[in-house]
Amino acid sequence: MTRAMLCPAMALLVAAGFAAASPAPAADRLAPLDPDQVQVGGEMGRRIHITIHNNLLKLDVDKDFLKPFADKSAKEGFVGLGMLLDAAVRLAAHARDPKLLALKKHLVARAIQAQEADGYLGMLAAPSRMWELWDIHEMGYLIYGLTSDYRFFGEKPSLAAARKLADYILAHWSDKPDWQPKPINVHMAVTGLERALLTLSDAAGEPKYREFCVRERKLPEWDLGIVVGRWGAVEGHAYAYFAHCLAQLRLYRADPNERLLAPTRRAMDFLVRRDGLVVTGTCGDHECWHDSQAGTANLGETCTVAYLLRVLDDLLRLEGNPHYGDMMERAIYNALFAAQSPDGRRIRYYTPFDGPRKYFDGDTYCCPNNFRRVVSELPTMIYYRSEGGLAVNLYTASSAKLALDGGIQLAVRQETDYPSAGRVVLRLDPSRPAAFPLRLRIPRWCAAAQVAVNGKPLDQAARRGEFLAIRREWKAGDRVEIDMPMPWRMVRGRQAQSGRVAILRGPVVFCLNRARHKELAALDLRLLTLAPSSLEPPIRDESVRPNGLACKVQAWGPGAWYPHAKPDLQLVLSEYPDPAGEMVYFHVPNPRDHSFVADELIDNDR
Ligand SMILES: [Zn+2]
């Protein structure tokens, strides 16, 4: 039983950190599959495909990524070779594409070739090593990427190189006990290091890397508060915070001390109760925590949404609370996919929902690489092993094969147009008839889900915000139909968006693209007033993705005498990943209209 099944309200309190007296979970509620066990279709599969073929395989890796490591002449800087390596490894393990496998091997071989006899693997000249930015950060991800190559491909030279590099860091760490990397704090300067060392420690069966995290990096004591804004030593850096949460969550699996969960719970509390989460599923402004709900130029660093997704996935596995899955799908279908051009080639650093968006110029650095990495992890966020059965977290066309208890091989296939439609057909093929639970995440946005097994409606309620567990004997050819009606919902804005509403359908936010309306060319879009009752059923729109949707709604221009004058504008709103989207919150005649709803991901709509 998950906490959510026992008592949803209690599960939420636990998630928000108000039930510290509850016993810590001894083991994860959900366990992920391996990347090669899952095939992904639909928009999620398309994004994985274009990330491989229109991005990874189009990079000039020799010039942009590998040359600086062969030269070793820089005084400071960051490329993200280890991050790229990690993404290439996991995507190659998932897709088994020959060109991608060749790229992965090339990156690994050249990286190992660039490693010096003392273990150093970086791009800085000798006098700058370790202590100039971002050398330790870069090395941490190289350790992680090389360890991934060992984990997914069994490559022992990669593990040996990762160990040599980790040993280099351990040997030099005590050289500067009072290191203060101006202008930022140490924990931000080494972002990614602790999780890399913990992963290496487990992969190599070598406790010294874990001990370094505990004794030298004092990971169990790390307990930074939520610092709002970007100032001073940038202690409010959201990505760095999440990276440390992930390392603590990893440590927690071996040492289930509640203290290790406190910073993560504080972050979740900030997101869902203190206005930290924005409607597109991400957080942070100019890389740092913000709670104003403003969505302008520097909203939502791509690294932040990548790490938020990772933390949500980790918490979902640990606690089994479907709220995390709800947050994951909002982030994936909006903030994450909007961080990439529809053709896959370009990636953003920030993805604002208020005002124009820009692409990042270049393929190196943190955001492009963390984007590739989290896309490589999407296949393992769909299905999980759970209580001897299967849990479905994300809805997307896909299939998976996994072994269950008792030597049963289970094949599962998901047929759906999600997120365009809320109808999902699951086909289950166990190798022999077997009793196990099938658990389905019923999203919080879905008030009236209906589930049928082999055409027969289920006699148990599919309550939103819970995992619906269907316990029966399954046999080959069984078919589960899930109908999740997706009416429009007009979600009330908060803080800076107070008095405005955003339009959502299922997990997708809709946005206004000025270029689709010539009459809006020179208009301040904030002066539009939406006519909520004019919303029409969704229309097909392929401008952002195949089988995409758009929303037709009328509006009044500036100065119009709403509500009695006829709306003078017919708007077509596109899905949020529309690269020219500029606005998601609209002024309305009656901001207290009872048909408007609170954002269901938020736990205290005021
Ligand atoms: Zn970044």
Side-chain angles (χ1 to χ4, degrees), residues 301 303 349 366-367:
E301 187 200 5
C303 291
Y349 201 97
C366 57
C367 285

Side-chain angles (χ1 to χ4, degrees), residues 78 83 237 239 287 301-304 348-350 365-371:
F78 184 75
M83 292 178 173
H237 199 271
Y239 157 31
E287 303 179 339
E301 187 200 5
T302 299
C303 291
T304 304
R348 300 180 195 285
Y349 201 97
Y350 296 117
Y365 219 57
C366 57
C367 285
N369 288 305
N370 270 326
F371 180 88

Side-chain angles (χ1 to χ4, degrees), residues 9-280:
M10 177 62 85
L12 227 54
L13 288 172
V14 171
F18 294 120
S22 299
D28 282 9
R29 308 298 172 105
L30 305 179
L33 307 185
D34 290 331
D36 62 350
Q37 290 180 280
V38 188
Q39 299 302 311
V40 192
E43 176 62 0
M44 207 174 291
R46 191 187 75 86
R47 289 283 176 178
I48 294 168
H49 183 87
I50 60 178
T51 300
I52 293 171
H53 294 277
N54 293 353
N55 191 284
L56 262 181
L57 291 172
K58 294 280 163 67
L59 302 177
D60 189 343
V61 295
D62 289 340
K63 174 171 139 299
D64 293 338
F65 285 87
L66 293 166
K67 189 171 184 302
F69 291 80
D71 293 350
K72 296 187 189 63
S73 58
K75 290 186 177 146
E76 58 174 23
F78 184 75
V79 163
L81 176 61
M83 292 178 173
L84 180 73
L85 218 156
D86 180 54
V89 164
R90 205 175 281 92
L91 283 169
H94 167 67
R96 299 279 161 181
D97 178 275
K99 283 186 185 157
L100 188 53
L101 284 161
L103 173 70
K104 186 274 288 183
K105 282 189 174 171
H106 178 68
L107 288 169
V108 171
R110 289 288 185 277
I112 292 177
Q113 216 172 56
Q115 188 165 35
E116 300 210 330
D118 66 356
Y120 179 73
L121 174 49
M123 58 178 190
L124 301 199
S128 302
R129 289 178 189 173
M130 284 289 289
W131 312 111
E132 293 300 329
L133 295 177
W134 297 88
D135 206 28
I136 296 176
H137 180 49
E138 185 85 70
M139 290 191 282
Y141 280 99
L142 278 158
I143 292 168
Y144 195 84
L146 289 164
T147 305
S148 290
D149 195 34
Y150 173 72
R151 287 166 63 204
F152 293 110
F153 289 93
E155 293 286 0
K156 289 183 180 159
S158 296
L159 182 69
R163 292 188 62 159
K164 251 173 91 176
L165 179 53
D167 290 344
Y168 173 88
I169 295 174
L170 266 56
H172 289 277
W173 182 260
S174 57
D175 292 354
K176 279 202 182 184
D178 300 319
W179 181 43
Q180 283 301 328
K182 296 258 165 39
I184 55 161
N185 57 71
V186 172
H187 95 96
M188 182 176 162
V190 304
T191 293
L193 176 67
E194 294 89 351
R195 184 167 179 242
L197 290 176
L198 293 174
T199 307
L200 173 64
S201 196
D202 290 344
E206 171 53 76
K208 71 178 172 186
Y209 306 119
R210 173 181 298 272
E211 283 162 13
F212 173 84
C213 295
V214 172
R215 292 193 191 140
E216 300 295 330
R217 289 295 305 126
K218 301 195 176 1
L219 181 60
E221 288 107 88
W222 180 80
D223 194 13
L224 188 62
I226 299 290
V227 179
V228 172
R230 186 182 178 97
W231 54 277
V234 199
E235 297 207 313
H237 199 271
Y239 157 31
Y241 190 105
F242 283 140
H244 284 79
C245 289
L246 280 176
Q248 287 188 324
L249 285 163
R250 187 160 186 121
L251 210 53
Y252 177 82
R253 299 320 205 275
D255 171 22
N257 180 338
E258 279 289 307
R259 194 177 63 171
L260 287 166
L261 301 183
T264 303
R265 288 189 169 151
R266 186 180 304 121
M268 289 300 121
D269 180 65
F270 177 74
L271 293 178
V272 303
R273 297 179 68 86
R274 300 180 197 284
D275 294 319
L277 188 73
V278 298
V279 71
T280 55

Side-chain angles (χ1 to χ4, degrees), residues 357-540:
R357 309 170 194 169
K358 288 193 299 198
Y359 289 113
F360 186 61
D361 51 354
D363 290 319
T364 64
Y365 219 57
C366 57
C367 285
N369 288 305
N370 270 326
F371 180 88
R372 297 171 187 125
R373 290 180 68 220
V374 80
V375 166
S376 80
E377 293 164 44
L378 291 178
T380 56
M381 295 178 178
I382 301 168
Y383 302 100
Y384 299 77
R385 284 191 188 81
S386 168
E387 298 172 32
L390 178 74
V392 182
N393 178 46
L394 296 179
Y395 296 109
T396 179
S398 56
S399 62
K401 287 184 177 158
L402 62 153
L404 300 180
D405 296 345
I408 296 152
Q409 301 295 318
L410 174 66
V412 57
R413 195 162 85 240
Q414 206 183 135
E415 297 163 0
T416 180
D417 282 334
Y418 203 90
S420 294
R423 180 174 167 76
V424 176
V425 176
L426 279 174
R427 296 180 189 277
L428 277 75
D429 283 304
S431 52
R432 60 179 163 78
F436 59 84
L438 171 69
R439 304 175 68 226
L440 309 171
R441 180 178 58 85
I442 308 299
R444 282 186 173 194
W445 56 257
C446 182
Q450 296 205 321
V451 180
V453 177
N454 296 329
K456 187 168 173 277
L458 212 62
D459 57 7
Q460 62 188 108
R463 282 189 287 268
R464 61 169 138 186
E466 295 186 11
F467 270 111
L468 171 70
I470 309 174
R471 297 166 196 279
R472 67 194 298 276
E473 185 177 84
W474 300 97
K475 58 184 189 320
D478 277 345
R479 172 188 160 96
V480 179
E481 292 157 80
I482 313 155
D483 272 304
M484 295 175 278
M486 287 181 168
W488 296 117
R489 49 190 204 287
M490 303 192 82
V491 169
R492 287 192 292 268
R494 313 183 310 281
Q495 303 288 5
Q497 310 303 338
S498 185
R500 297 175 166 265
V501 295
I503 298 180
L504 282 83
R505 184 177 175 278
V508 178
V509 180
F510 285 74
C511 66
L512 179 58
N513 170 349
R514 182 196 300 272
R516 293 181 81 150
H517 309 80
K518 59 180 184 307
E519 62 274 40
L520 301 183
L523 206 69
D524 180 346
L525 300 180
R526 286 171 298 184
L527 301 180
L528 296 175
T529 299
L530 217 62
S533 61
S534 68
L535 265 171
E536 296 179 26
I539 54 170
R540 283 280 162 204

